[in-house]
Every structure is written in C-alpha cells, then in structure tokens.
C-alpha cells in the first residue's frame, strides 16, 4: 500500500520551514558548507515523511501514535516534520502510519534520521563534484534526495533492504524530481553494477565492514558507517580504503547510532531461561551495569564479547536485572546487586563473558579511559581490528 499524497501544503510556508531548519542546523554547527546548506534549503522533508509514529510511554509499554496530516491536521504534522528529530516511519517491517488508526505497539524498522545527523554525516563524507556515492539504507529517501541535489541523481546509488520502504522512497524521490539509481536488496553486498564508488555512506549500522564495500569503493575513497553490535554499543567511523581489501580510519565525535543492518540483527533468544538458569559461579565485580549504558565502556564491552547480547529483564519484585547472553555459546553473565551498593556477577556456560568485559574495561582504563575519538579501525582481508590510540595500541577483533 502506498501512502496517500500529502494534503495540500503551502509552498511558501514549506520554503520558510526549510530555511528555518537550515538556519538551526547551521547555528548548531551541523551544517558547515554552502553546498549542503543549499540542499537542505531545497529538499522538502515533508515529501519523504507523509506520516510518522510518535513515541509514548504507557503502562502497556511503548506505544506509537500515528501522526499524519489526516490525523492531526496539516499544520501540526508539517511543524514536526521540520524539527530536528528522527521520525519513525515503519514498525515491524510493514506497519506504516497510514495503516494505523490508533496507537500501536511495535519495533521501529525504518525512519527518517534526524536532519542534524544526516547533514553532519554528509559533511563528514565530504563528496566532491562528480563523485559517485553509494548510500546503504535509503529509508524514506530524504538523505538520498540531499545527495542527489548536491551531486546529481546520476552520481547516486541507494540500496534499501525493505521493499515497502524502497517503493515509498522511490515515489517520494520521483515527486521531488530526483532520479538516483535505487536498488532493493542487501546493502551489505553493495551494488557491483555501479562500482567503483568514491564514497559510501551507511545509514544502518554494521558489526563488521562488509568485504563488498572494500571492493566497490576505489582506493583512496571513503566509507562512513556506524559500527554497532548486540550490546547496543555504537560509534561512527570514517575509513579510507586502501589497496587489496584494506581500509583504516578513526572514530568521529558524537554519540551516533543507527538501526543494525537487518541480516546482522541479533539472533532470537531461544532457550534463554535454560541458559540463565544453568549452572554458574558467582563473584564480586567492580564493573556494574553502568558498563552497559555509558557510551564508551558499552562499546568496549561489546568489542570484548561480540557474540553476546544485552538482555534487561524485570524480576517478580519489579526491579530490573541485567544479563549478557551468548545464545550460540550458551553462556551468560547476570549482574546482581550485593545489597551494599555494589554488584556480584553470576556466570556460566562455555565463556565467562563478564571476565572478558572486565578485562577489556580495565585495558581501556589503563589507556586513560579515552573517549571514542581515540579509537580507530584497521581492516585487512584477514581481520578487522578496533584499536585505541594507534594501530599498534590495545585492540580487539571484530566478529568474522
Ligand atoms: C535509519 S533508516 C535510513 C534513513 C534514511 N537515510 C533517511 O534519511 O530516511 C535505516 C534504513 O536502513 C535499512 N536497512 C537495514 N538493513 C539494510 C541492509 N542490509 N541493506 C540496505 N538497507 C538496510 C532499513 O530498512 C531502514 O530503512
């Protein structure tokens, strides 16, 4: 089902909203160059977001309220479309705002990323006139449209995994007057037919850098992507591609996260209660659950146990217990308050997951607890390594 055409929007009003948005993005330091300013001023975000879901907390859990011109009136919908926020446009891989008459449950599967992050990444990507760009994660098509405005549609290829989202993006891009190459498929495989690319930007995150990207971006070209994983650690990294499947670069500032590329999503937690109730041993730990919520330690923990996922579960008395679980290795670590303000950890299975997390956090602390901008990534055909300081510093391998 396609979205209904947005109800009549006054062109001059929309132009004012775009100009206001550009001004705010510039004042915030996100928009840094005239070329991208011109793109934000020209591209109508409302064509790409005919409806979105607004998040609300309720006793029944997170609910998503559909916001469309029909449900809230044109002015309210339009006003929000030009704010600097991420707008969720699809739930559970198929539910769209136009399909929902009332608040619904669901997990976000597509969105229009907040404009400040979109333009910040485009500035970081820094394509030059004539460059060919591959975008992974078309989503609504808004960022694709900005790329088309800057470079010309003939220089832009964009891949979307979800056929419904891709179809909507195609319609919106056509309505906006842009004609990039749009591909429905797995962006982790890139799109060989239009390679080589000078730049690749991903608006979904990856656990490891796909080898196809290294083959399809020319030596000297740039890959800009978030690296994430199953503990929800994340970081934006900019790589320069070398010869023969290599690349290297540093993590950029900011707390940037994106939904994980669909084929790399965490496996289902089958057999969870058997794993958690399996035999284990308990000991005091200096690392409590804050490791799972502080930006850089969370990233470090994920590097230490890349096959583990975070599971927060409420107990009978309503409190929350933090678990780290590796379903394939049937291993777990559960953090338990020790009643004295500290924690003990109960671990079992093949791998002592929390031992590995503690060791990695200690290594990071010994290096001076640096921010993520001190980290870098080296990719070779054999191995992908995140390091602290320089490529010879402490490092962890990404999952193969
Ligand atoms: C945050 S949204 C993209 C935002 C988009 N750039 C915009 O401005 O609207 C991430 C998108 O990545 C898509 N995605 C997830 N895994 C993918 C994959 N392996 N290949 C291509 N797209 C993928 C999702 O379906 C989703 O639409």
């Amino acid at each position: 089902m396609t979205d209904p055409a947005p109800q009549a929007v006054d062109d001059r009003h929309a132009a004012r909203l775009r100009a206001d948005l550009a001004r705010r993005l510039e004042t915030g330091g996100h928009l840094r160059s005239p070329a991208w300013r011109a793109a934000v001023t020209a591209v109508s975000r409302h064509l790409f977001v005919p409806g979105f879901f607004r998040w609300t907390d309720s006793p029944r859990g997170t609910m998503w309220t559909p916001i469309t011109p029909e449900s809230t009136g044109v002015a309210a919908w339009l006003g929000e479309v030009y704010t600097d926020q991420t707008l969720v446009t699809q739930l559970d891989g198929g539910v769209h705002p136009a399909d929902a008459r009332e608040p619904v449950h669901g997990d976000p599967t597509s969105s229009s990323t907040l404009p400040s992050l979109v333009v910040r990444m485009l500035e970081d990507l820094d394509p030059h006139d004539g460059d060919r760009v591959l975008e992974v994660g078309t989503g609504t098509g808004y960022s694709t449209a900005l790329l088309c405005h800057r470079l010309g549609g003939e220089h832009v290829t964009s891949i979307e995994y979800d056929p419904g989202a891709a179809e909507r993006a195609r319609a919106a891009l056509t309505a906006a007057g842009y004609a990039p190459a749009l591909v429905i498929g797995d962006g982790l495989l890139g799109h060989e037919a239009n390679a080589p690319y000078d730049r690749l930007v991903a608006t979904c995150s990856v656990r490891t850098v796909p080898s196809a990207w290294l083959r399809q971006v020319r030596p000297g070209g740039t890959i800009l992507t978030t690296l994430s994983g199953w503990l929800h650690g994340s970081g934006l990294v900019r790589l320069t591609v070398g010869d023969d499947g290599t690349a290297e670069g540093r993590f950029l500032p900011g707390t940037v996260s994106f939904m994980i590329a669909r084929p790399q999503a965490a496996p289902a937690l089958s057999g969870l209660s058997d794993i958690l109730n399996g035999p284990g041993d308990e000991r005091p730990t200096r690392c409590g659950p804050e490791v799972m919520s502080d930006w850089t330690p969370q990233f470090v923990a994920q590097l230490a146990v890349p096959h583990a996922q975070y599971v927060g579960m409420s107990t009978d008395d309503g409190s929350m217990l933090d678990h780290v679980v590796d379903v394939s290795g049937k291993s777990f670590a559960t953090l338990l308050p020790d009643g004295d303000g500290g924690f003990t950890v109960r671990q079992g299975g093949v791998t002592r997951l929390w031992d590995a997390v503690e060791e990695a956090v200690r290594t990071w602390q010994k290096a001076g607890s640096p921010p993520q901008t001190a980290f870098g990534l080296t990719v070779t055909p054999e191995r992908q390594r995140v390091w602290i300081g320089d490529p010879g510093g402490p490092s962890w391998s990404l999952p193969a």
Side-chain angles (χ1 to χ4, degrees), residues 7-244:
Q7 289 181 13
V9 170
D10 178 74
D11 283 345
R12 279 179 310 177
H13 182 46
R16 272 196 304 277
L17 291 171
R18 291 195 301 269
D20 281 351
L21 176 63
R23 240 188 319 276
R24 277 179 277 127
L25 296 179
E26 204 165 40
T27 308
H30 313 289
L31 200 47
R32 306 192 293 265
S33 65
W36 289 118
R37 181 180 221 293
V40 173
T41 309
V43 175
S44 289
R45 195 183 187 208
H46 67 268
L47 294 177
F48 299 89
V49 192
F52 63 92
F53 289 103
R54 187 193 287 145
W55 179 89
T56 39
D57 223 354
S58 86
R60 292 190 291 142
T62 301
M63 300 294 291
W64 297 95
T65 304
I67 307 291
T68 63
E70 293 74 24
S71 66
T72 59
V74 174
W77 156 75
L78 196 60
E80 286 213 47
V81 165
Y82 285 95
T83 57
D84 186 25
Q85 51 175 332
T86 291
L87 300 173
V88 171
T89 50
Q90 187 196 65
L91 299 172
D92 297 335
V95 181
H96 297 93
D99 309 330
R101 292 278 159 262
E102 50 188 34
V104 289
H105 287 290
D107 289 321
T109 43
S110 193
S111 61
S112 173
T113 307
L114 68 163
S116 57
L117 177 54
V118 171
V119 299
R120 174 257 156 103
M121 285 177 65
L122 294 173
E123 296 275 12
D124 289 340
L125 188 70
D126 191 27
H128 301 156
D129 290 349
D131 275 357
R132 299 163 65 81
V133 176
L134 176 63
E135 180 188 47
V136 176
T138 315
T140 63
Y142 176 64
S143 49
T144 323
L146 294 174
L147 280 164
C148 290
H149 186 276
R150 167 72 184 84
L151 297 166
E154 68 281 14
H155 290 115
V156 179
T157 302
S158 186
I159 310 180
E160 171 57 51
Y161 194 83
D162 183 285
E167 243 1 279
R168 285 173 155 79
R170 182 185 298 281
L173 283 158
T174 304
Y178 299 112
L182 294 174
V183 181
I184 300 175
D186 183 0
L188 302 179
L189 304 175
H191 186 61
E192 189 76 55
N194 291 353
Y197 303 100
D198 301 286
R199 302 280 187 270
L200 184 153
V201 58
T203 57
C204 54
S205 62
V206 291
R207 295 175 71 215
T208 49
V209 181
S211 56
W213 295 4
L214 300 162
R215 283 196 308 275
Q216 294 176 20
V217 176
R218 68 162 168 82
T222 301
I223 294 174
L224 183 69
T225 186
T226 38
L227 202 66
S228 76
W230 300 342
L231 292 188
H232 310 305
S234 182
L236 179 66
V237 67
R238 183 170 51 197
L239 302 169
T240 301
V241 175
D243 294 319
D244 307 326

Side-chain angles (χ1 to χ4, degrees), residues 268-272 274-280 307-308 324-333 347-353:
L269 288 165
S270 49
L272 180 62
D274 284 350
I275 297 174
L276 292 178
N277 293 315
H307 298 288
V324 171
V325 182
D326 177 347
V327 192
S328 56
K330 299 205 183 327
S331 303
F332 72 93
Q347 305 186 81
V350 180
T351 312
R352 291 292 180 265
L353 297 170

Side-chain angles (χ1 to χ4, degrees), residues 312-344:
M313 265 167 42
S314 48
T315 58
D316 291 343
D317 67 5
S319 59
M320 191 74 156
L321 269 193
D322 300 280
H323 309 275
V324 171
V325 182
D326 177 347
V327 192
S328 56
K330 299 205 183 327
S331 303
F332 72 93
T334 300
L335 291 165
L336 301 154
D338 65 5
D340 240 352
F343 287 87
T344 62

